[in-house]
mmCIF file of all heavy atoms in Angstrom:
data_model
loop_
_atom_site.group_PDB
_atom_site.id
_atom_site.type_symbol
_atom_site.label_atom_id
_atom_site.label_comp_id
_atom_site.label_asym_id
_atom_site.label_seq_id
_atom_site.Cartn_x
_atom_site.Cartn_y
_atom_site.Cartn_z
ATOM 1 N N GLU A 857 46.052 16.419 -19.675
ATOM 2 C CA GLU A 857 45.944 14.968 -19.603
ATOM 3 C C GLU A 857 46.522 14.430 -18.294
ATOM 4 O O GLU A 857 45.967 13.508 -17.683
ATOM 5 C CB GLU A 857 46.650 14.329 -20.799
ATOM 6 C CG GLU A 857 46.548 12.808 -20.866
ATOM 7 C CD GLU A 857 45.112 12.315 -20.951
ATOM 8 O OE1 GLU A 857 44.228 13.068 -21.411
ATOM 9 O OE2 GLU A 857 44.865 11.160 -20.541
ATOM 10 N N ALA A 858 47.642 15.006 -17.840
ATOM 11 C CA ALA A 858 48.235 14.568 -16.566
ATOM 12 C C ALA A 858 47.279 14.831 -15.414
ATOM 13 O O ALA A 858 47.130 13.992 -14.506
ATOM 14 C CB ALA A 858 49.558 15.293 -16.338
ATOM 15 N N ALA A 859 46.611 15.992 -15.441
ATOM 16 C CA ALA A 859 45.654 16.313 -14.384
ATOM 17 C C ALA A 859 44.442 15.392 -14.443
ATOM 18 O O ALA A 859 43.907 14.967 -13.406
ATOM 19 C CB ALA A 859 45.227 17.777 -14.509
ATOM 20 N N ARG A 860 44.009 15.046 -15.635
ATOM 21 C CA ARG A 860 42.869 14.127 -15.773
ATOM 22 C C ARG A 860 43.212 12.742 -15.227
ATOM 23 O O ARG A 860 42.408 12.117 -14.519
ATOM 24 C CB ARG A 860 42.475 14.018 -17.247
ATOM 25 C CG ARG A 860 41.684 15.206 -17.767
ATOM 26 C CD ARG A 860 41.439 15.061 -19.255
ATOM 27 N NE ARG A 860 40.656 16.160 -19.787
ATOM 28 C CZ ARG A 860 40.673 16.542 -21.066
ATOM 29 N NH1 ARG A 860 41.468 15.900 -21.928
ATOM 30 N NH2 ARG A 860 39.918 17.547 -21.466
ATOM 31 N N LYS A 861 44.401 12.243 -15.563
ATOM 32 C CA LYS A 861 44.813 10.917 -15.095
ATOM 33 C C LYS A 861 44.870 10.863 -13.576
ATOM 34 O O LYS A 861 44.616 9.814 -12.974
ATOM 35 C CB LYS A 861 46.173 10.556 -15.681
ATOM 36 C CG LYS A 861 46.122 10.157 -17.153
ATOM 37 C CD LYS A 861 47.501 9.741 -17.648
ATOM 38 C CE LYS A 861 47.448 9.273 -19.093
ATOM 39 N NZ LYS A 861 48.785 8.892 -19.608
ATOM 40 N N ALA A 862 45.210 11.982 -12.965
ATOM 41 C CA ALA A 862 45.293 12.023 -11.498
ATOM 42 C C ALA A 862 43.934 12.280 -10.856
ATOM 43 O O ALA A 862 43.830 12.307 -9.620
ATOM 44 C CB ALA A 862 46.281 13.105 -11.072
ATOM 45 N N GLY A 863 42.918 12.460 -11.670
ATOM 46 C CA GLY A 863 41.588 12.710 -11.138
ATOM 47 C C GLY A 863 41.422 14.071 -10.506
ATOM 48 O O GLY A 863 40.559 14.283 -9.649
ATOM 49 N N LYS A 864 42.232 15.039 -10.948
ATOM 50 C CA LYS A 864 42.220 16.364 -10.334
ATOM 51 C C LYS A 864 41.460 17.409 -11.163
ATOM 52 O O LYS A 864 41.401 18.577 -10.775
ATOM 53 C CB LYS A 864 43.651 16.852 -10.094
ATOM 54 C CG LYS A 864 44.469 15.962 -9.172
ATOM 55 C CD LYS A 864 43.930 15.962 -7.741
ATOM 56 C CE LYS A 864 44.307 17.210 -6.979
ATOM 57 N NZ LYS A 864 43.959 17.107 -5.538
ATOM 58 N N ILE A 865 40.873 16.987 -12.290
ATOM 59 C CA ILE A 865 40.132 17.933 -13.112
ATOM 60 C C ILE A 865 39.046 17.168 -13.862
ATOM 61 O O ILE A 865 39.197 15.970 -14.157
ATOM 62 C CB ILE A 865 41.072 18.674 -14.102
ATOM 63 C CG1 ILE A 865 40.400 19.931 -14.653
ATOM 64 C CG2 ILE A 865 41.548 17.756 -15.217
ATOM 65 C CD1 ILE A 865 41.378 20.870 -15.354
ATOM 66 N N SER A 866 37.950 17.830 -14.130
ATOM 67 C CA SER A 866 36.827 17.187 -14.816
ATOM 68 C C SER A 866 37.255 16.657 -16.180
ATOM 69 O O SER A 866 37.942 17.345 -16.932
ATOM 70 C CB SER A 866 35.686 18.191 -15.002
ATOM 71 O OG SER A 866 34.712 17.675 -15.900
ATOM 72 N N PRO A 867 36.853 15.434 -16.518
ATOM 73 C CA PRO A 867 37.184 14.885 -17.839
ATOM 74 C C PRO A 867 36.608 15.715 -18.982
ATOM 75 O O PRO A 867 37.096 15.640 -20.107
ATOM 76 C CB PRO A 867 36.547 13.484 -17.814
ATOM 77 C CG PRO A 867 36.356 13.170 -16.375
ATOM 78 C CD PRO A 867 36.114 14.464 -15.677
ATOM 79 N N ARG A 868 35.587 16.508 -18.691
ATOM 80 C CA ARG A 868 34.936 17.299 -19.736
ATOM 81 C C ARG A 868 35.560 18.674 -19.927
ATOM 82 O O ARG A 868 35.186 19.400 -20.846
ATOM 83 C CB ARG A 868 33.453 17.464 -19.402
ATOM 84 C CG ARG A 868 32.674 16.150 -19.383
ATOM 85 C CD ARG A 868 31.205 16.382 -19.111
ATOM 86 N NE ARG A 868 30.985 17.006 -17.803
ATOM 87 C CZ ARG A 868 30.930 16.330 -16.660
ATOM 88 N NH1 ARG A 868 31.098 15.007 -16.654
ATOM 89 N NH2 ARG A 868 30.723 16.945 -15.519
ATOM 90 N N TYR A 869 36.506 19.039 -19.056
ATOM 91 C CA TYR A 869 37.060 20.401 -19.135
ATOM 92 C C TYR A 869 37.903 20.597 -20.384
ATOM 93 O O TYR A 869 38.691 19.727 -20.769
ATOM 94 C CB TYR A 869 37.929 20.707 -17.902
ATOM 95 C CG TYR A 869 38.549 22.087 -17.970
ATOM 96 C CD1 TYR A 869 37.797 23.226 -17.737
ATOM 97 C CD2 TYR A 869 39.891 22.246 -18.308
ATOM 98 C CE1 TYR A 869 38.345 24.490 -17.825
ATOM 99 C CE2 TYR A 869 40.461 23.510 -18.398
ATOM 100 C CZ TYR A 869 39.686 24.626 -18.165
ATOM 101 O OH TYR A 869 40.241 25.879 -18.268
ATOM 102 N N LYS A 870 37.729 21.761 -21.015
ATOM 103 C CA LYS A 870 38.536 22.151 -22.171
ATOM 104 C C LYS A 870 39.144 23.530 -21.918
ATOM 105 O O LYS A 870 38.507 24.390 -21.304
ATOM 106 C CB LYS A 870 37.671 22.191 -23.442
ATOM 107 C CG LYS A 870 37.139 20.837 -23.878
ATOM 108 C CD LYS A 870 36.340 20.970 -25.175
ATOM 109 C CE LYS A 870 35.823 19.599 -25.613
ATOM 110 N NZ LYS A 870 35.035 19.694 -26.882
ATOM 111 N N VAL A 871 40.351 23.716 -22.393
ATOM 112 C CA VAL A 871 41.007 25.018 -22.246
ATOM 113 C C VAL A 871 40.247 26.036 -23.087
ATOM 114 O O VAL A 871 39.985 25.795 -24.274
ATOM 115 C CB VAL A 871 42.479 24.946 -22.708
ATOM 116 C CG1 VAL A 871 43.143 26.309 -22.566
ATOM 117 C CG2 VAL A 871 43.234 23.895 -21.898
ATOM 118 N N PRO A 872 39.846 27.175 -22.488
ATOM 119 C CA PRO A 872 39.118 28.189 -23.258
ATOM 120 C C PRO A 872 39.908 28.660 -24.480
ATOM 121 O O PRO A 872 41.136 28.730 -24.456
ATOM 122 C CB PRO A 872 38.941 29.325 -22.243
ATOM 123 C CG PRO A 872 39.035 28.667 -20.913
ATOM 124 C CD PRO A 872 40.016 27.546 -21.078
ATOM 125 N N GLU A 873 39.179 28.975 -25.546
ATOM 126 C CA GLU A 873 39.815 29.401 -26.788
ATOM 127 C C GLU A 873 40.694 30.627 -26.596
ATOM 128 O O GLU A 873 41.702 30.795 -27.278
ATOM 129 C CB GLU A 873 38.756 29.670 -27.856
ATOM 130 C CG GLU A 873 38.160 28.419 -28.458
ATOM 131 C CD GLU A 873 39.224 27.512 -29.062
ATOM 132 O OE1 GLU A 873 40.085 28.020 -29.802
ATOM 133 O OE2 GLU A 873 39.201 26.297 -28.780
ATOM 134 N N ALA A 874 40.306 31.520 -25.666
ATOM 135 C CA ALA A 874 41.094 32.743 -25.434
ATOM 136 C C ALA A 874 42.499 32.442 -24.952
ATOM 137 O O ALA A 874 43.403 33.274 -25.085
ATOM 138 C CB ALA A 874 40.380 33.634 -24.421
ATOM 139 N N GLN A 875 42.696 31.234 -24.376
ATOM 140 C CA GLN A 875 44.019 30.851 -23.874
ATOM 141 C C GLN A 875 44.661 29.770 -24.738
ATOM 142 O O GLN A 875 45.662 29.177 -24.349
ATOM 143 C CB GLN A 875 43.902 30.352 -22.438
ATOM 144 C CG GLN A 875 43.881 31.448 -21.391
ATOM 145 C CD GLN A 875 42.512 31.609 -20.757
ATOM 146 O OE1 GLN A 875 41.707 30.693 -20.755
ATOM 147 N NE2 GLN A 875 42.256 32.798 -20.228
ATOM 148 N N ARG A 876 44.123 29.547 -25.919
ATOM 149 C CA ARG A 876 44.638 28.494 -26.789
ATOM 150 C C ARG A 876 45.700 28.990 -27.766
ATOM 151 O O ARG A 876 46.231 28.212 -28.548
ATOM 152 C CB ARG A 876 43.487 27.863 -27.583
ATOM 153 C CG ARG A 876 42.822 26.692 -26.885
ATOM 154 C CD ARG A 876 43.815 25.577 -26.684
ATOM 155 N NE ARG A 876 43.201 24.299 -26.343
ATOM 156 C CZ ARG A 876 43.887 23.196 -26.137
ATOM 157 N NH1 ARG A 876 45.217 23.207 -26.230
ATOM 158 N NH2 ARG A 876 43.297 22.074 -25.831
ATOM 159 N N ASN A 877 46.012 30.260 -27.706
ATOM 160 C CA ASN A 877 47.001 30.822 -28.633
ATOM 161 C C ASN A 877 48.181 31.430 -27.881
ATOM 162 O O ASN A 877 48.675 32.499 -28.236
ATOM 163 C CB ASN A 877 46.344 31.868 -29.534
ATOM 164 C CG ASN A 877 45.271 31.252 -30.416
ATOM 165 O OD1 ASN A 877 45.551 30.335 -31.191
ATOM 166 N ND2 ASN A 877 44.045 31.736 -30.281
ATOM 167 N N ASN A 878 48.600 30.740 -26.832
ATOM 168 C CA ASN A 878 49.753 31.181 -26.040
ATOM 169 C C ASN A 878 51.035 30.747 -26.742
ATOM 170 O O ASN A 878 51.557 29.657 -26.498
ATOM 171 C CB ASN A 878 49.705 30.585 -24.638
ATOM 172 C CG ASN A 878 48.563 31.122 -23.808
ATOM 173 O OD1 ASN A 878 47.857 32.046 -24.223
ATOM 174 N ND2 ASN A 878 48.358 30.560 -22.624
ATOM 175 N N THR A 879 51.537 31.573 -27.632
ATOM 176 C CA THR A 879 52.731 31.221 -28.400
ATOM 177 C C THR A 879 53.759 32.327 -28.322
ATOM 178 O O THR A 879 53.409 33.509 -28.191
ATOM 179 C CB THR A 879 52.371 30.994 -29.879
ATOM 180 O OG1 THR A 879 51.925 32.234 -30.454
ATOM 181 C CG2 THR A 879 51.293 29.938 -30.041
ATOM 182 N N PRO A 880 55.043 31.989 -28.414
ATOM 183 C CA PRO A 880 56.086 33.024 -28.439
ATOM 184 C C PRO A 880 55.887 34.017 -29.582
ATOM 185 O O PRO A 880 56.134 35.221 -29.408
ATOM 186 C CB PRO A 880 57.375 32.215 -28.614
ATOM 187 C CG PRO A 880 57.062 30.871 -28.064
ATOM 188 C CD PRO A 880 55.618 30.627 -28.397
ATOM 189 N N GLN A 881 55.438 33.539 -30.726
ATOM 190 C CA GLN A 881 55.243 34.445 -31.850
ATOM 191 C C GLN A 881 54.131 35.450 -31.577
ATOM 192 O O GLN A 881 54.222 36.620 -31.949
ATOM 193 C CB GLN A 881 54.922 33.663 -33.132
ATOM 194 C CG GLN A 881 55.004 34.501 -34.403
ATOM 195 C CD GLN A 881 56.374 35.115 -34.596
ATOM 196 O OE1 GLN A 881 57.389 34.423 -34.570
ATOM 197 N NE2 GLN A 881 56.425 36.431 -34.766
ATOM 198 N N GLY A 882 53.082 34.990 -30.885
ATOM 199 C CA GLY A 882 52.004 35.916 -30.527
ATOM 200 C C GLY A 882 52.494 37.021 -29.612
ATOM 201 O O GLY A 882 52.122 38.196 -29.776
ATOM 202 N N ILE A 883 53.347 36.669 -28.644
ATOM 203 C CA ILE A 883 53.917 37.680 -27.739
ATOM 204 C C ILE A 883 54.847 38.607 -28.508
ATOM 205 O O ILE A 883 54.827 39.836 -28.333
ATOM 206 C CB ILE A 883 54.653 36.994 -26.565
ATOM 207 C CG1 ILE A 883 53.676 36.175 -25.721
ATOM 208 C CG2 ILE A 883 55.385 38.027 -25.716
ATOM 209 C CD1 ILE A 883 52.593 36.977 -25.046
ATOM 210 N N ALA A 884 55.663 38.027 -29.390
ATOM 211 C CA ALA A 884 56.601 38.847 -30.181
ATOM 212 C C ALA A 884 55.845 39.845 -31.056
ATOM 213 O O ALA A 884 56.233 41.022 -31.151
ATOM 214 C CB ALA A 884 57.488 37.946 -31.029
ATOM 215 N N ASN A 885 54.774 39.399 -31.690
ATOM 216 C CA ASN A 885 53.994 40.297 -32.548
ATOM 217 C C ASN A 885 53.353 41.422 -31.736
ATOM 218 O O ASN A 885 53.248 42.558 -32.206
ATOM 219 C CB ASN A 885 52.906 39.512 -33.275
ATOM 220 C CG ASN A 885 53.474 38.543 -34.298
ATOM 221 O OD1 ASN A 885 54.625 38.657 -34.699
ATOM 222 N ND2 ASN A 885 52.674 37.567 -34.702
ATOM 223 N N TRP A 886 52.907 41.088 -30.539
ATOM 224 C CA TRP A 886 52.287 42.084 -29.654
ATOM 225 C C TRP A 886 53.278 43.185 -29.267
ATOM 226 O O TRP A 886 52.966 44.376 -29.308
ATOM 227 C CB TRP A 886 51.745 41.364 -28.419
ATOM 228 C CG TRP A 886 51.210 42.243 -27.323
ATOM 229 C CD1 TRP A 886 50.516 43.408 -27.454
ATOM 230 C CD2 TRP A 886 51.316 41.998 -25.910
ATOM 231 N NE1 TRP A 886 50.169 43.903 -26.214
ATOM 232 C CE2 TRP A 886 50.646 43.059 -25.263
ATOM 233 C CE3 TRP A 886 51.880 40.976 -25.147
ATOM 234 C CZ2 TRP A 886 50.545 43.124 -23.856
ATOM 235 C CZ3 TRP A 886 51.770 41.047 -23.767
ATOM 236 C CH2 TRP A 886 51.117 42.112 -23.126
ATOM 237 N N LEU A 887 54.489 42.772 -28.916
ATOM 238 C CA LEU A 887 55.455 43.724 -28.374
ATOM 239 C C LEU A 887 56.305 44.422 -29.430
ATOM 240 O O LEU A 887 56.884 45.484 -29.166
ATOM 241 C CB LEU A 887 56.380 43.001 -27.380
ATOM 242 C CG LEU A 887 55.712 42.279 -26.206
ATOM 243 C CD1 LEU A 887 56.771 41.712 -25.273
ATOM 244 C CD2 LEU A 887 54.769 43.200 -25.442
ATOM 245 N N ALA A 888 56.399 43.834 -30.636
ATOM 246 C CA ALA A 888 57.323 44.333 -31.659
ATOM 247 C C ALA A 888 57.212 45.833 -31.915
ATOM 248 O O ALA A 888 58.237 46.526 -32.000
ATOM 249 C CB ALA A 888 57.137 43.548 -32.957
ATOM 250 N N PRO A 889 56.012 46.424 -32.048
ATOM 251 C CA PRO A 889 55.941 47.869 -32.339
ATOM 252 C C PRO A 889 56.485 48.756 -31.226
ATOM 253 O O PRO A 889 56.716 49.948 -31.446
ATOM 254 C CB PRO A 889 54.433 48.106 -32.534
ATOM 255 C CG PRO A 889 53.849 46.764 -32.827
ATOM 256 C CD PRO A 889 54.676 45.800 -32.046
ATOM 257 N N HIS A 890 56.702 48.175 -30.032
ATOM 258 C CA HIS A 890 57.089 48.976 -28.868
ATOM 259 C C HIS A 890 58.499 48.652 -28.363
ATOM 260 O O HIS A 890 58.949 49.244 -27.382
ATOM 261 C CB HIS A 890 56.078 48.744 -27.737
ATOM 262 C CG HIS A 890 54.660 48.853 -28.174
ATOM 263 N ND1 HIS A 890 54.017 50.065 -28.307
ATOM 264 C CD2 HIS A 890 53.761 47.893 -28.538
ATOM 265 C CE1 HIS A 890 52.770 49.857 -28.726
ATOM 266 N NE2 HIS A 890 52.596 48.549 -28.873
ATOM 267 N N ARG A 891 59.173 47.713 -29.020
ATOM 268 C CA ARG A 891 60.468 47.247 -28.511
ATOM 269 C C ARG A 891 61.540 48.326 -28.561
ATOM 270 O O ARG A 891 62.418 48.375 -27.697
ATOM 271 C CB ARG A 891 60.934 46.006 -29.283
ATOM 272 C CG ARG A 891 60.244 44.727 -28.906
ATOM 273 C CD ARG A 891 60.515 44.334 -27.454
ATOM 274 N NE ARG A 891 61.446 43.252 -27.314
ATOM 275 C CZ ARG A 891 62.425 43.184 -26.434
ATOM 276 N NH1 ARG A 891 62.633 44.170 -25.598
ATOM 277 N NH2 ARG A 891 63.217 42.159 -26.368
ATOM 278 N N ALA A 892 61.492 49.187 -29.528
ATOM 279 C CA ALA A 892 62.537 50.206 -29.659
ATOM 280 C C ALA A 892 62.288 51.415 -28.766
ATOM 281 O O ALA A 892 63.179 52.253 -28.583
ATOM 282 C CB ALA A 892 62.653 50.651 -31.110
ATOM 283 N N THR A 893 61.092 51.504 -28.187
ATOM 284 C CA THR A 893 60.744 52.699 -27.412
ATOM 285 C C THR A 893 60.422 52.357 -25.963
ATOM 286 O O THR A 893 61.226 52.579 -25.058
ATOM 287 C CB THR A 893 59.559 53.420 -28.071
ATOM 288 O OG1 THR A 893 58.480 52.468 -28.267
ATOM 289 C CG2 THR A 893 59.958 54.001 -29.429
#
């Protein structure tokens, strides 16, 4: 929204779904099986 207000990005742009799940829990789940090794 900040980029849109500044006119620096297309009003129609949407963040791709592949990057919509950037969460600490997602990273923790990914790394958990390997943390001890």
Side-chain angles (χ1 to χ4, degrees):
E857 183 60 25
R860 283 175 179 156
K861 285 183 177 179
K864 300 294 283 189
I865 197 166
S866 168
R868 296 183 299 277
Y869 178 75
K870 294 182 179 180
V871 179
E873 284 303 313
Q875 277 109 23
R876 271 298 195 179
N877 297 302
N878 292 353
T879 66
Q881 193 59 53
I883 297 297
N885 292 343
W886 173 37
L887 303 184
H890 312 278
R891 283 297 255 137
T893 53

